[in-house]
Amino acid sequence: MIIDTHLHPTNLVDEAWRHTGTPFNGERMLKLMDGPYWINGKPRRIDMGFIQPPPGNTGYRDGNRMGREGIRDYMAYIAELCQKYPDRFIGNFNYNPRWGPENGAAELEFHVKEYGFKMLKLHANMHGYRPDRALEWLRPAMKKCAELGVVVLIHTGDGPYTIPTMFYPIIREFPMVNFIIGHFGIQTGGNYSFESFWMAMDTPNVYCESGWCFQSRIVEFAKELPKDKIVFGTDSPPNEPGMWLRELEVLCHEPPQGLGLSEDDLEGYLGNNIAKLVGIDPTPPPRTMDEAKARLTDTYAGVKRGAGQAVPA
């Protein structure tokens, strides 16, 4: 399977990114995921994706409910989609400590147990805190992640609060939690990809998300990193997934544009690495055109998603 770690469907126009037109809802997201996208000469789709609300929709607005009720409100559409399309969507809990750290931790546990969420998102810039100093704001949720086996995805790549090394204190305090450096440390405001690379090299529980990384740099990084250390994530919308799939496919080409990667190792980057982190059975790449075409409509009814979370046919 191809599994995207970073998707933002919404039922209202995002209030920070200010996308125009109609909301990019779950059905539009599925159409985008379905492609097909051609990888090594075969048609593929993004089979599953971790979904979260756009972070601009997770702050307080006049008229919001407060505390746990307010958190449940901004996560409601994601929970709805995970129930409606359990074979395609996996929940990612967007944690804003300004709603109350203990409230957020309690709601994380609720969403994991009620809806099968497997990931938590930190966005210190959008929510306005220094992650290296606001440790008391982060600890309650990190303790729940450790208890429940939840992976943490960190927005990184721009100042003032999402420079990757600013998260080292919480990462080192929770070595039993797996952390993904979102965007490979790159955003419109900066390029911290080398920081992200060395964090993943030096720290067993740190991984890097492929999207936003420069193509020539990811060749360098993939050559040195352990093969389980890169996961596929697009940040869609606003991004178009095909360009990030192509960036990883190029790794199968010969040097200098690629590094002669095998299709099995590419499948690790595309989905199996994150699958193993969250308890989903890994799958081999399609070996034939017929097999690839059959997978375009597969419901993955037999794929294990962890205890009590078998995907229905």
Side-chain angles (χ1 to χ4, degrees), residues 181-186 191 193-194 196-197 201 207-227 229-234 243-253 256-261 266 269-270 273:
I181 305 296
H183 316 311
F184 222 118
I186 298 174
N191 178 0
S193 58
F194 287 92
S196 304
F197 164 72
M201 285 289 285
Y207 301 78
C208 289
E209 183 185 70
S210 64
W212 289 87
C213 191
F214 301 142
Q215 188 270 324
S216 58
R217 295 289 83 80
I218 205 165
V219 176
E220 296 177 17
F221 299 150
K223 184 177 180 180
E224 301 298 330
L225 282 166
K227 287 189 170 60
K229 284 285 191 160
I230 295 176
V231 299
F232 170 64
T234 65
M243 63 178 292
W244 304 124
L245 288 165
R246 171 66 173 166
E247 176 183 70
L248 292 175
E249 179 200 25
V250 168
L251 295 176
C252 293
H253 295 190
Q257 290 82 15
L259 47 79
L261 191 74
L266 175 64
Y269 295 153
L270 293 177
N273 289 347

Side-chain angles (χ1 to χ4, degrees), residues 21-295:
T22 58
F24 204 92
N25 63 18
E27 287 67 34
R28 292 181 69 185
M29 183 65 75
L30 288 173
K31 183 177 180 181
L32 185 69
M33 293 166 65
D34 283 343
Y37 302 98
W38 288 82
I39 299 174
N40 288 325
K42 302 180 187 73
R44 304 290 300 273
R45 70 174 185 176
I46 297 171
D47 300 288
M48 303 181 78
F50 289 84
I51 60 172
Q52 58 175 300
N57 294 347
T58 62
Y60 180 79
R61 302 181 302 279
D62 286 346
N64 280 142
R65 296 196 294 175
M66 302 295 289
R68 290 187 62 176
E69 291 79 10
I71 298 170
R72 198 166 296 188
D73 289 344
Y74 76 65
M75 290 303 307
Y77 185 59
I78 300 302
E80 175 187 328
L81 289 177
C82 288
Q83 295 174 88
K84 189 175 182 180
Y85 304 106
D87 58 327
R88 305 298 301 277
F89 291 144
I90 309 168
N92 183 354
F93 183 83
N94 202 303
Y95 176 73
N96 181 353
R98 290 188 175 275
W99 292 82
E102 296 294 345
N103 291 332
E107 281 302 304
L108 168 64
E109 181 174 19
F110 171 80
H111 283 76
V112 169
K113 293 182 176 180
E114 189 73 15
Y115 305 120
F117 279 35
K118 292 180 175 292
M119 189 176 286
L120 175 140
K121 172 71 175 291
L122 298 178
H123 200 313
N125 271 352
M126 196 67 74
H127 299 145
Y129 61 92
R130 274 186 60 179
D132 56 332
R133 299 295 299 275
L135 297 177
E136 291 299 325
W137 283 12
L138 296 177
R139 284 183 180 122
M142 296 304 101
K143 290 176 182 177
K144 283 297 175 186
C145 289
E147 175 188 332
L148 300 169
V150 173
V151 173
V152 177
L153 174 65
I154 305 171
H155 170 91
T156 67
D158 41 16
Y161 304 133
T162 63
I163 297 167
T165 49
M166 296 177 77
F167 292 88
Y168 249 146
I170 202 69
I171 289 171
R172 287 174 169 167
E173 186 173 334
F174 288 89
M176 71 295 291
V177 175
N178 291 313
F179 293 85
I180 299 171
I181 305 296
H183 316 311
F184 222 118
I186 298 174
Q187 278 292 278
T188 53
N191 178 0
Y192 300 93
S193 58
F194 287 92
E195 279 194 13
S196 304
F197 164 72
W198 283 112
M199 288 174 70
M201 285 289 285
D202 292 344
T203 313
N205 61 322
V206 172
Y207 301 78
C208 289
E209 183 185 70
S210 64
W212 289 87
C213 191
F214 301 142
Q215 188 270 324
S216 58
R217 295 289 83 80
I218 205 165
V219 176
E220 296 177 17
F221 299 150
K223 184 177 180 180
E224 301 298 330
L225 282 166
K227 287 189 170 60
D228 65 336
K229 284 285 191 160
I230 295 176
V231 299
F232 170 64
T234 65
D235 197 16
S236 299
N239 289 333
E240 195 280 322
M243 63 178 292
W244 304 124
L245 288 165
R246 171 66 173 166
E247 176 183 70
L248 292 175
E249 179 200 25
V250 168
L251 295 176
C252 293
H253 295 190
E254 293 303 312
Q257 290 82 15
L259 47 79
L261 191 74
S262 71
E263 288 196 42
D264 287 304
D265 287 335
L266 175 64
E267 204 72 9
Y269 295 153
L270 293 177
N272 284 341
N273 289 347
I274 186 63
K276 292 174 184 176
L277 289 178
V278 300
I280 297 174
D281 284 343
T283 56
R287 304 300 182 185
T288 66
M289 180 65 73
D290 287 343
E291 184 181 347
K293 289 180 178 178
R295 290 192 187 189

